[in-house]
Amino acid sequence: MTTDATAPWLIVGLGNPGPEYAMNRHNVGFMVADLLAERIGGKFKRAGKAQAQVLEGRIGSPGPQNRRVIVAKPMSFMNVSGGPVTGLRDFYKVPVANIVAIHDELDIDYGTMRLKLGGGDNGHNGLKSITKSMGPDYHRVRFGIGRPPGRMQVADFVLKDFSSTERKELDYLVDRAADSVECLVTEGLERAQSAYNS
């Protein structure tokens, strides 16, 4: 799928709003979005009717690979992310192929990352909501969190904070995920997959 080099990119970190969720496994998309915002050098602001926080900026060195981006964090709770994302897509006139969702992924081990275009939602409520709103043909940066131990319910596991052991690596992994998003936007999916898929 080709993308329009002049069209902006919408980079969406998925998570739940509120300090009580900030360090949850389910909020790793917000963590990556926060780091991208820090790198761009700006602060998130409320986006009109879209029920999201956004930051506009550019990614990539000056020249043909420099891309206009909107980094967003839906403020609607995970399972209804589709509304804010669709609102932002329409407002900024972003092609679906230029949308990137960053999310936690149960079926990938912690510390592993995969980038892909399109596909199913694998039971992830944030993806389910986005796909229902605009179809599946957007990019995903899948941040592995692994499966819950023992008989712990999935919902309990994703809404718990990363363990102390996991936190030792978390900053590095969030940094790597942010790098992969920048690579995807500036150099394309294949390049990003070969560099970051593990």
Side-chain angles (χ1 to χ4, degrees), residues 13-16 21-31 77-79 81 102-106 123-127 143 145 154-162:
L14 295 182
N16 286 309
Y21 300 105
M23 290 306 294
N24 287 182
R25 293 181 178 93
H26 221 21
N27 268 44
V28 76
F30 274 17
M31 296 173 200
F77 287 97
M78 179 72 84
N79 58 359
S81 301
I102 308 160
H103 64 93
D104 57 306
E105 178 62 65
L106 286 160
H124 191 288
N125 288 330
L127 296 184
F143 189 109
I145 60 167
V154 164
D156 295 334
F157 179 69
V158 299
L159 292 174
K160 281 207 178 338
D161 288 358
F162 284 101

Side-chain angles (χ1 to χ4, degrees), residues 29-72:
F30 274 17
M31 296 173 200
V32 177
D34 285 337
L35 180 56
L36 286 165
E38 200 179 299
R39 290 181 181 184
I40 289 167
K43 291 210 179 327
F44 282 102
K45 63 179 195 298
R46 201 79 184 188
K49 298 176 184 171
Q51 221 185 344
Q53 290 186 349
V54 297
L55 168 72
E56 295 179 61
R58 299 194 82 85
I59 284 177
S61 49
Q65 288 187 328
N66 189 259
R67 299 282 184 263
R68 180 176 165 232
V69 297
I70 299 97
V71 181

Side-chain angles (χ1 to χ4, degrees), residues 11 32 36 100 102 115 141 177-186:
I11 300 165
V32 177
L36 286 165
V100 183
I102 308 160
L115 288 84
V141 173
D179 289 347
S180 79
V181 173
E182 292 184 350
C183 183
L184 168 60
V185 168
T186 59

Side-chain angles (χ1 to χ4, degrees), residues 164-196:
S164 54
T165 306
E166 289 169 334
R167 279 202 295 272
K168 289 175 185 165
E169 278 189 285
L170 186 60
D171 286 348
Y172 165 75
L173 295 170
V174 167
D175 195 66
R176 194 162 178 272
D179 289 347
S180 79
V181 173
E182 292 184 350
C183 183
L184 168 60
V185 168
T186 59
E187 299 183 53
L189 179 61
E190 282 184 28
R191 174 82 185 87
Q193 285 174 324
S194 66
Y196 294 97

